[in-house]
Amino acid sequence: MRHLGYEVKVGVEAEFVLYTGRPEGQAPAWTANLEYALQHPPEISDFIHHLAQALTDAGMGNEAFKTEGAAGQCEVTFPYGDALAACDHYTLFRHLVGQIASRHGMTPVFMAAPATGVGSGLHLHLSLWSEHAPAFAHRAANSRRPRWHRRRPA
């Protein structure tokens, strides 16, 4: 796409379920609905802290880490950026999650449906950019900044 003047950018949201113990005899790392929770059990807070630090140390960072509504379910959102780098970062992310979870006595599962009633996904947000801005965003006649079609209330 670069030869046409476009750059592909990607935003990645990765969901997974954390289980305590090893593959045999696993149970979700927590059972309460922790969707958008501000406080987490100490072992989960430690896992989140160590994962965030490992991602930063690897030069990846993350935009957000949140617990979801299903038992043991997490979502990590990464900064929007270059498509190839996003693929590389996702591969490293999965490795880091596995290593850090193991150190905390947990096992991450990235399956789409690891249990009845639980659905995890990998959400990829793709867009084309041109001249450092979204290529297809509406722009006001006298403005260099993109102006989105949705109007703000007065």
Side-chain angles (χ1 to χ4, degrees):
M1 295 307 273
R2 289 184 198 258
H3 69 283
L4 296 174
Y6 295 109
E7 178 183 4
V8 178
K9 292 203 177 191
V10 175
V12 176
E13 297 175 22
E15 295 176 343
F16 58 96
V17 178
L18 282 173
Y19 290 93
T20 57
R22 300 291 176 237
E24 56 286 337
Q26 294 179 343
W30 62 87
T31 57
N33 180 340
L34 296 179
E35 182 136 26
Y36 294 103
L38 298 176
Q39 294 182 320
H40 298 94
E43 61 277 6
I44 303 309
S45 291
D46 289 347
F47 170 81
I48 293 169
H49 171 76
H50 291 136
L51 178 58
Q53 187 61 54
L55 293 172
T56 299
D57 291 348
M60 298 168 50
N62 69 301
E63 282 188 352
F65 183 107
K66 76 180 221 37
T67 47
E68 296 270 351
Q73 192 174 36
C74 309
E75 179 182 272
V76 178
T77 305
F78 294 94
Y80 212 68
D82 178 72
L84 183 57
C87 294
D88 290 342
H89 288 169
Y90 180 72
T91 301
L92 180 56
F93 160 75
R94 293 228 1 204
H95 176 74
L96 289 171
V97 169
Q99 292 296 309
I100 293 166
S102 177
R103 291 180 188 159
H104 288 270
M106 295 183 280
T107 301
V109 175
F110 290 88
M111 294 170 58
T116 302
V118 177
S120 293
L122 174 64
H123 308 160
L124 299 175
H125 304 271
L126 303 169
S127 65
L128 292 177
W129 286 56
S130 177
E131 299 179 16
H132 308 291
F136 301 104
H138 174 73
R139 297 171 192 231
N142 295 327
S143 174
R144 297 180 125 186
R145 292 180 38 176
R147 180 175 174 172
W148 302 103
H149 294 284
R150 187 175 59 187
R151 293 184 176 206
R152 295 184 185 142

